[in-house]
């Protein structure tokens, strides 16, 4: 599996984690609580979330590295929609 990670500074990490997980729970078997979440997009791609008082940590795992950039964009796009009241700095690292 190929991993990438983004640590997004925000005081609203738990709220965003829960919004993202609830949003995707309509399509996927999502697991979450206020501090952690997991969204299995497929057998070959999933994202996990961890929230604390200062940041939302997102870890993307994909089997095919060609999926990585597209999946990062999907996650970023959804997070930005939920966090429209603040400017988030989302930087993925491998």
């Amino acid at each position: 599996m190929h991993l990438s990670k983004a640590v997004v500074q925000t005081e609203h990490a738990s709220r965003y984690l829960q919004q993202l997980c609830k949003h995707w729970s309509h399509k996927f078997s999502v697991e979450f609580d206020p501090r952690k979440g997991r969204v299995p997009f497929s057998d070959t791609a999933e994202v996990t979330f961890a929230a604390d008082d200062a940041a939302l940590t997102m870890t993307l795992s994909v089997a095919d590295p060609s999926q990585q950039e597209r999946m990062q964009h999907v996650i970023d796009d959804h997070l930005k929609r939920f966090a429209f009241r603040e400017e988030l700095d989302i930087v993925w690292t491998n």
Side-chain angles (χ1 to χ4, degrees), residues 9-73:
Q9 301 300 314
T10 177
E11 295 175 2
H12 307 290
S14 179
R15 179 188 326 161
Y16 299 148
L17 177 157
Q18 292 176 73
Q19 287 178 302
L20 288 163
C21 288
K22 284 177 188 173
H23 173 76
W24 280 316
S25 70
H26 300 288
K27 284 186 163 182
F28 308 107
S29 299
V30 173
E31 303 165 7
F32 72 98
D33 63 33
R35 293 287 174 203
K36 63 186 181 317
R38 177 179 167 270
V39 180
F41 293 115
S42 68
D43 291 341
T44 61
E46 79 171 28
V47 64
T48 59
F49 300 103
D52 61 30
D53 294 336
L56 176 63
T57 301
M58 306 182 294
T59 305
L60 176 64
S61 174
V62 295
D64 180 354
S66 67
Q67 291 180 297
Q68 198 166 38
E69 189 174 323
R70 184 180 67 82
M71 292 304 301
Q72 288 171 351
H73 179 71

